[in-house]
């Protein structure tokens, strides 16, 4: 294929593919550069995800570059991830707005579009900083405008590439944090890598596999992973649709956190901001339009994961149906994908935008009974891609596939990423406390240096000896949730019994027994559990409770008194996954033997 004289719709299609392939090739290197605005090591992964979000547009029939470019920009806005992804999507919106009427772009129009994109990107940030991707976008646009009347399209692209290299290297000294780490800005490196791939395509007319580090030797530098305590630990994003006042929204959001990007148009806006309370972002955004696509990534956990990657080859993932104490999540570096829940029209992220305490309070007061749904495959895909860029492999331990579609969602995500063969999805055959124990066990094996095969095999071997029992003081919430027929509630009331739920060896959750009489239920439940423990074995126990900390402590005391082989015991407030059926006051015990 000859070099391009004008940028048409066919070239745009190939460019999107080039962008995706380039970002995939460079993602690990760009992640290692990620020290600004926080060292969470995910810039390359986020740009790769943003690039991938445009691929579906390529199936559209279009012979007009401007209209196809606008569709790509809209898709990038929907799929943008992270600070750099949001900035790139906003840049692309600016490019497409200027090129909207052009069936094919000549050099001059292309230069004008690049200038428009640089302006759009800068306007999206509440506090634009020089020495970052913004500087590279502006420098490249200015260089192209200066030569637009002298160079043809191919020459102009080569000129842009040379300027991006120069401007990228200048970012090494643009901010104190970058100069101290002796690295270039990660977002700027991603844009420069995009221009490298784009220019190669323009000149050669074909897409070649791009080796890591091509034309970008700075990507070999490893800087991310230096740990720091983050005041705003949650990278929070959502879409806001309607007649959105972007300026007012940006001003209000700026009061909540940092690294704010408000990208989009007057009818659809993507919000990206680092905050301490993700729920506050979604509540505020709802004042400006319909909120969707809520997500919140724990940058503190990501940062710690990059720091631990050299010592732990295997990263551990679970979902929020697993109940695990916060101190163990931190110390064992377990990543949690939140279950989604909704009270009527309002949606939340379990244990992220709604704490267990808030959940049980609303469970009692809300006229709507909550509904839970498994995380979308995209929630898993984003995390898997990030972890695979820092670890050899991932073991993902999930709630029983017999009671939820979460495991299937995780498997779907693993099958759709470039390194999917490095992700092992394991069904815990359990939930709540039992699932939590298996995730803890997996993390301990990973910390010992076990590889993914050994970790997953160990979990699969132990799950047959892992049990979860739950005491429900009332069947009211199980009936509302559709898990128990109303006649069972009536029967339990007549007979004065409290049903006990238990996980089965095949992962089903069903009736496991009953407590007769209404007096001393905690002591009765403790005796029920203790009767299922072998006296000559040692056990690890985990107690999860539905806003009943005092009862959980009493249950723990009783179990220690009844069985002398309790090696260790943890107590944690349970989230929505089981609480939606158990209601306030429920208690769950997970246990397995300790070899």
């Amino acid at each position: 294929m000859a070099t391009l004289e004008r940028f048409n719709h066919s070239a745009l299609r190939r460019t999107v593919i080039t962008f995706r392939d380039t970002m995939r090739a460079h993602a690990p290197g760009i992640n290692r550069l990620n020290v600004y605005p926080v060292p969470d090591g995910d810039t390359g992964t986020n740009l790769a995800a943003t690039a991938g979000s445009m691929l579906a547009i390529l199936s559209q029939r279009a012979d007009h570059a401007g209209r196809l470019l606008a569709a790509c920009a809209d898709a990038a806005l929907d799929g943008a991830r992270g600070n750099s992804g949001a900035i790139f999507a906003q840049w692309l919106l600016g490019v497409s707005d200027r090129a909207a009427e052009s069936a094919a772009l000549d050099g001059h129009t292309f230069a004008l579009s690049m200038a428009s994109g640089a302006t759009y990107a800068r306007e999206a940030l509440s506090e634009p900083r020089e020495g970052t991707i913004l500087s590279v976008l502006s420098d490249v646009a200015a260089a192209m405008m200066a030569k637009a009347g002298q160079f043809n399209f191919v020459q102009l692209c080569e000129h842009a590439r040379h300027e991006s290299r120069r401007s990228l290297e200048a970012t090494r000294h643009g901010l104190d944090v970058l100069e101290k780490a002796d690295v270039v800005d990660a977002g700027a490196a991603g844009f420069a890598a995009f221009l490298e791939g784009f220019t190669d395509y323009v000149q050669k007319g074909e897409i070649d596999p791009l080796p890591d580090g091509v034309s970008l030797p700075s990507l070999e530098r490893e800087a991310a992973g230096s740990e720091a305590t983050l005041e705003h630990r949650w990278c929070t994003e959502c879409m806001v649709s309607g007649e959105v006042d972007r300026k007012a929204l940006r001003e209000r959001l700026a009061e909540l956190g940092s690294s704010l990007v408000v990208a989009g148009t007057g009818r659809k806006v993507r919000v990206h901001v680092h905050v301490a309370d993700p729920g506050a972002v979604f509540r505020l955004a709802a004042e400006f339009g319909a909120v969707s696509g809520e997500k919140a990534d724990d940058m503190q956990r990501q940062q710690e994961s990059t720091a631990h990657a050299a010592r732990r080859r295997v990263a551990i993932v679970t979902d929020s149906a697993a109940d695990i104490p916060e101190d163990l999540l931190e110390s064992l570096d377990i990543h949690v994908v939140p279950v989604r829940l909704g009270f009527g029209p309002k949606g939340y992220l379990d244990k992220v935008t709604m704490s267990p305490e808030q959940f049980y309070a609303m469970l009692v007061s809300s006229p709507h009974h909550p509904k839970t749904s498994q995380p979308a495959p995209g929630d898993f895909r984003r995390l898997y891609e990030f972890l695979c860029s820092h670890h050899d492999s991932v073991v993902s331990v999930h709630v029983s596939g017999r009671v939820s579609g979460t495991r299937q969602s995780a498997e779907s995500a693993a099958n759709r990423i470039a390194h999917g063969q490095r992700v092992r999805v394991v069904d815990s055959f359990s939930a709540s406390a039992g699932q939590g124990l298996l995730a803890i066990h997996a993390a301990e094996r990973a910390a010992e240096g076990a590889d993914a095969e050994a970790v997953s095999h160990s979990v699969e071997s132990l799950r047959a000896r892992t049990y979860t029992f739950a005491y429900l003081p009332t069947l009211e919430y199980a009936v509302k949730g559709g898990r128990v027929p109303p006649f069972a509630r009536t029967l339990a009331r007549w007979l004065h019994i409290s049903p006990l739920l238990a996980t089965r060896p095949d992962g089903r959750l069903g009736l496991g027994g009953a407590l007769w009489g209404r007096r001393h239920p905690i002591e009765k439940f403790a005796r029920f559990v203790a009767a299922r423990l072998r006296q000559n074995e040692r056990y690890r126990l985990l107690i999860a409770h539905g806003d009943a900390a005092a009862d959980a402590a009493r249950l723990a005391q009783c179990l220690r008194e009844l069985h002398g082989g309790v090696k260790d015991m943890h107590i944690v407030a349970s989230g929505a996954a089981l609480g939606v059926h158990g209601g306030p006051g429920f208690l769950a015990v997970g246990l397995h033997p300790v070899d």
Side-chain angles (χ1 to χ4, degrees):
M1 175 179 170
T3 55
L4 290 175
E5 296 298 327
R6 292 165 65 85
F7 190 63
N8 59 24
H9 60 94
S10 178
L12 175 58
R13 285 190 169 92
R14 303 302 296 171
T15 296
V16 172
I17 297 173
T18 300
F19 180 34
R20 190 275 309 272
D21 292 346
T22 303
M23 288 301 99
R24 281 185 173 180
H26 289 308
I30 295 172
N31 284 344
R32 291 192 293 271
L33 295 172
N34 186 193
V35 299
Y36 176 81
V38 293
D40 53 347
D42 65 353
T43 295
T45 302
N46 288 335
L47 282 171
T50 305
S53 67
M54 294 187 287
L55 293 183
I57 297 301
L58 303 186
S59 61
Q60 295 184 4
R61 293 180 57 86
D63 56 1
H64 191 286
R67 287 194 287 269
L68 185 58
L69 188 59
C72 287
D74 190 64
L77 184 67
D78 287 340
R81 293 291 179 264
N83 183 285
S84 54
I87 292 174
F88 184 88
Q90 183 70 358
W91 171 80
L92 195 58
L93 280 173
V95 172
S96 66
D97 274 6
R98 184 61 182 80
E101 303 304 320
S102 302
L105 284 67
D106 58 18
H108 182 66
T109 304
F110 190 51
L112 290 172
S113 299
M114 294 286 279
S116 174
T119 300
Y120 270 52
R122 191 173 295 272
E123 291 175 349
L125 275 69
S126 61
E127 296 180 355
R129 297 289 299 273
E130 298 302 330
T132 65
I133 184 176
L134 293 180
S135 298
V136 177
L137 293 175
S138 296
D139 290 347
V140 168
M144 293 180 71
M145 287 298 296
K147 299 294 184 180
Q150 306 170 37
F151 290 171
N152 63 29
F153 186 80
V154 175
Q155 292 172 326
L156 202 59
C157 290
E158 182 61 33
H159 184 57
R161 169 157 64 180
H162 282 295
E163 180 59 23
S164 73
R165 291 174 179 174
R166 184 207 65 76
S167 184
L168 172 64
E169 185 58 31
T171 65
R172 189 183 301 274
H173 309 289
L175 295 174
D176 290 343
V177 64
L178 298 178
E179 189 163 29
K180 183 178 179 180
D182 191 26
V183 293
V184 297
D185 178 66
F191 179 74
F194 159 68
L195 275 184
E196 293 286 341
F198 173 71
T199 305
D200 282 347
Y201 167 67
V202 167
Q203 293 177 341
K204 302 174 184 177
E206 59 184 18
I207 299 174
D208 297 320
L210 295 172
D212 286 346
V214 60
S215 303
L216 291 169
S218 58
L219 296 191
E220 298 172 4
R221 178 77 181 184
E222 186 158 350
S226 54
E227 295 187 69
T229 300
L230 302 178
E231 178 185 359
H232 302 137
R233 69 182 290 171
W234 294 98
C235 178
T236 306
E237 296 180 352
C238 66
M239 295 294 296
V240 187
S241 303
E243 296 298 323
V244 184
D245 186 338
R246 290 174 54 201
K247 181 180 179 182
L249 176 60
R250 184 167 56 242
E251 290 175 352
R252 294 278 303 279
L253 287 170
E255 301 172 1
L256 299 180
S258 55
S259 299
L260 173 61
V261 182
V262 179
T265 64
R267 59 179 178 81
K268 184 169 66 174
V269 169
R270 171 164 288 280
V271 169
H272 167 279
V273 63
H274 296 171
V275 294
D277 178 12
V281 175
F282 304 143
R283 290 191 295 272
L284 192 156
E287 298 178 17
F288 289 81
V291 177
S292 62
E294 303 98 318
K295 76 96 175 166
D297 291 337
D298 189 341
M299 296 183 296
Q300 190 76 48
R301 192 66 46 76
Q302 289 182 348
Q303 177 186 262
E304 292 163 359
S305 185
T306 60
H308 296 161
R311 302 192 300 273
R312 297 177 184 172
R313 294 181 295 164
V314 180
I316 304 301
V317 174
T318 190
D319 56 80
S320 66
D323 289 318
I324 304 173
E326 186 65 29
D327 60 334
L328 291 181
L329 289 175
E330 296 279 356
S331 63
L332 293 173
D333 194 29
I334 301 173
H335 298 263
V336 181
V337 178
V339 170
R340 295 177 180 267
L341 67 141
F343 281 89
K346 294 185 177 180
Y348 303 89
L349 301 177
D350 184 30
K351 301 178 183 176
V352 176
T353 61
M354 176 168 280
S355 69
E357 294 77 13
Q358 292 170 327
F359 169 74
Y360 290 104
M362 189 171 288
L363 187 61
V364 173
S365 62
S366 175
H368 303 285
H369 187 72
K371 295 183 178 180
T372 60
S373 60
Q374 69 261 23
D379 295 342
F380 288 109
R381 186 171 67 248
R382 187 171 62 249
L383 181 57
Y384 290 160
E385 288 172 339
F386 164 74
L387 292 173
C388 283
S389 72
H390 293 285
H391 297 265
D392 291 348
S393 51
V394 175
V395 173
S396 206
V397 182
H398 294 294
V399 62
S400 172
R402 289 297 191 105
V403 300
S404 170
T406 298
R407 188 208 66 206
Q408 184 177 2
S409 185
E411 289 176 341
S412 174
N415 291 332
R416 292 172 62 186
I417 67 171
H419 303 290
Q421 73 280 3
R422 291 161 53 190
V423 179
R424 291 174 178 261
V425 178
V426 180
D427 192 327
S428 71
F429 286 1
S430 190
S432 184
Q435 180 189 347
L437 285 177
L438 289 171
I440 291 168
H441 175 76
E444 289 174 338
R445 294 287 288 121
E448 293 167 358
D451 62 17
E453 182 177 2
V455 172
S456 57
H457 177 72
S458 184
V459 172
E460 289 166 351
S461 298
L462 188 57
R463 69 187 177 188
R465 297 181 292 159
T466 300
Y467 300 92
T468 302
F469 303 103
Y471 155 69
L472 277 58
T474 174
L475 287 178
E476 188 68 30
Y477 298 95
V479 171
K480 287 181 178 180
R483 290 285 182 176
V484 173
F487 78 83
R489 174 185 55 192
T490 303
L491 186 63
R493 288 173 177 171
W494 284 350
L495 298 177
H496 297 285
I497 62 173
S498 299
L500 301 179
L501 301 181
T503 53
R504 307 285 175 78
D506 63 356
R508 289 181 297 167
L509 180 67
L511 187 66
L515 304 181
W516 294 86
R518 300 299 188 186
R519 300 181 62 186
H520 309 298
I522 307 303
E523 290 75 8
K524 291 177 182 176
F525 184 37
R527 289 195 292 270
F528 175 90
V529 173
R532 282 142 184 85
L533 306 180
R534 297 176 183 269
Q535 288 302 317
N536 60 344
E537 283 195 277
R538 296 195 306 158
Y539 290 88
R540 165 179 280 177
L541 276 69
L542 193 155
I543 299 175
H545 64 87
D547 198 27
D551 288 346
R554 175 59 183 156
L555 178 60
Q557 179 184 350
C558 291
L559 287 169
R560 288 190 181 278
E561 293 172 353
L562 290 168
H563 195 283
V566 177
K567 176 180 178 288
D568 58 57
M569 181 157 357
H570 305 281
I571 299 176
V572 61
S574 182
L578 188 55
V580 68
H581 306 297
F586 94 89
L587 296 170
V589 177
L591 61 93
H592 56 212
V594 179
D595 295 328

